[in-house]
Amino acid sequence: MPYHLGCSVWSQPEWKGEFYTEDAKPRQFLSQYASVFNAVEGNSTFYNIPDDSVVKKWGEQTPRDFKFCFKFPKHITHEKRMYNVKGDVLDFVRLFEPIREKLGPFMIQFPENFSPKELYRLEDVFSILPKAFSYSVEVRHEDFFDHGRNERNLISLLKSYDVDRVIFDTRKLHSMKATESSIAEAQKKKPKVPVRFDTTGARPVLRYVGSNDKLNNEPYLKEWAIIVAEWIGEGLHPYVFIHSPDRVSQAELCRYFHELLSELVELPLLREWPVNKQDTQLGLF
């Protein structure tokens, strides 16, 4: 695969019988997920740092080409705001050394009030980050989207360290009327930030949050399929993560995006859903 595709989570009990097999246990979710998709956002590390044994199990449950994109913990990005965190950062990234070959870009996500005035703290951390890993940065403060000095400084910093800028697209989400509780909740939690289509590194990261159905997402996913195809044509290796407010629809939306991209780039088919494999096996008896 010339790109990596996945959802925002893998531990999703609501997927049982829809994506996972009916009898799937929580300990089987990751391996079943990784039998279809080749990447996942590691959102859990934003809230809790896993033990060594857990990291090892994650590695054992996934195939060789699978990639985790773990988020930096919130105590580094949101609480300490990158101030005096070099030791914390090194301890965190080194935790994943045993599964180094299964790491996509670490995601460094900042709160909306992390401003360009604090950018020097990010540069201090960049200077000590192990080069064996790759990184991406998601900013949300409006001044980073000024088409002026602040944005140029950010782009220059990211390019100088070969760090990718996370593209967070919530345009569709915030254009809808909140007719469903999941949409209303997502609109409260997900920021409305401008979308940039340029890249700063070799592994552009797209996080797309739309509606819960294919039809309403179609114009945006078609647009992103064209852009991702261009990135691939330029020799870049994109990471694409499709979110949905209800989370249940994510796998189907990922498959739809892959189909759209397949019309522009030669790609292998996604593997069958685990639940479909189960149905086929049951039909043999």
Side-chain angles (χ1 to χ4, degrees):
M1 285 268 281
Y3 83 118
H4 275 77
L5 172 69
C7 304
S8 65
V9 293
W10 74 74
S11 183
Q12 196 67 25
E14 293 85 352
W15 288 359
K16 291 175 63 173
E18 298 290 333
F19 178 73
Y20 296 142
T21 57
E22 290 276 5
D23 59 352
K25 303 294 188 295
R27 67 178 182 274
Q28 298 171 311
F29 288 170
L30 179 56
S31 59
Q32 290 196 15
Y33 173 92
S35 72
V36 177
F37 299 114
N38 62 358
V40 71
E41 287 189 16
N43 287 310
S44 63
T45 56
F46 182 74
Y47 303 99
N48 297 290
I49 298 177
D51 294 332
D52 296 353
S53 59
V54 173
V55 171
K56 183 180 178 181
K57 286 180 181 178
W58 288 345
E60 293 170 347
Q61 293 170 356
T62 50
R64 186 174 57 183
D65 63 342
F66 190 84
K67 301 292 184 184
F68 295 94
C69 293
F70 293 112
K71 280 187 181 178
F72 270 31
K74 66 177 181 179
H75 80 265
I76 291 176
T77 56
H78 287 54
E79 295 168 9
K80 291 189 174 182
R81 304 174 66 85
M82 304 299 277
Y83 177 72
N84 195 25
V85 296
K86 291 182 179 180
D88 296 325
V89 166
L90 291 176
D91 287 343
F92 175 69
V93 297
R94 286 170 178 165
L95 173 65
F96 300 97
E97 180 69 35
I99 61 168
R100 181 197 299 185
E101 72 283 357
K102 294 186 178 180
L103 297 179
F106 282 101
M107 291 193 291
I108 307 171
Q109 177 185 296
F110 290 111
E112 292 179 71
N113 58 3
F114 185 88
S115 75
K117 294 179 181 179
E118 299 169 279
L119 195 60
Y120 71 94
R121 297 180 184 175
L122 184 55
E123 184 168 13
D124 287 343
V125 172
F126 281 172
S127 67
I128 57 94
L129 286 174
K131 291 181 172 54
F133 306 114
S134 58
Y135 309 90
S136 61
V137 168
E138 181 182 314
V139 292
R140 298 180 172 186
H141 194 286
E142 60 182 11
D143 288 350
F144 283 119
F145 300 88
D146 64 356
H147 286 296
R149 182 183 64 183
N150 291 319
E151 189 163 13
R152 287 195 300 270
N153 288 342
L154 171 66
I155 292 173
S156 177
L157 175 62
L158 297 181
K159 286 185 174 180
S160 66
Y161 284 94
D162 193 26
V163 172
D164 291 279
R165 182 176 183 174
V166 175
I167 301 168
F168 194 37
D169 185 358
T170 59
R171 291 174 297 170
K172 179 58 189 176
L173 173 67
H174 288 289
S175 71
M176 297 185 292
K177 290 184 178 180
T179 56
E180 302 173 42
S181 59
S182 64
I183 293 174
E185 184 178 356
Q187 288 175 340
K188 290 179 182 178
K189 291 182 176 180
K190 306 297 184 184
K192 186 178 182 180
V193 296
V195 175
R196 297 291 186 259
F197 299 97
D198 54 332
T199 61
T200 59
R203 304 170 188 84
V205 179
L206 167 64
R207 302 178 68 221
Y208 172 82
V209 188
S211 64
N212 293 322
D213 62 288
K214 289 197 298 185
L215 181 62
N216 282 302
N217 287 297
E218 184 176 15
Y220 296 90
L221 294 182
K222 280 187 173 180
E223 177 185 37
W224 279 116
I226 292 171
I227 293 168
V228 170
E230 290 176 352
W231 287 343
I232 293 172
E234 294 168 4
L236 305 178
H237 190 101
Y239 283 74
V240 178
F241 299 107
I242 309 292
H243 298 227
S244 66
D246 65 2
R247 291 191 175 184
V248 177
S249 312
Q250 291 188 22
E252 186 58 40
L253 292 176
C254 281
R255 176 158 62 183
Y256 181 53
F257 175 81
H258 188 76
E259 290 171 355
L260 292 173
L261 186 59
S262 296
E263 296 175 3
L264 305 171
V265 179
E266 186 174 347
L267 298 171
L269 294 173
L270 287 184
R271 301 179 186 94
E272 275 194 279
W273 282 188
V275 67
N276 293 339
K277 292 179 183 177
Q278 181 184 47
D279 292 341
T280 300
Q281 291 168 352
L282 290 173
L284 297 175
F285 298 95

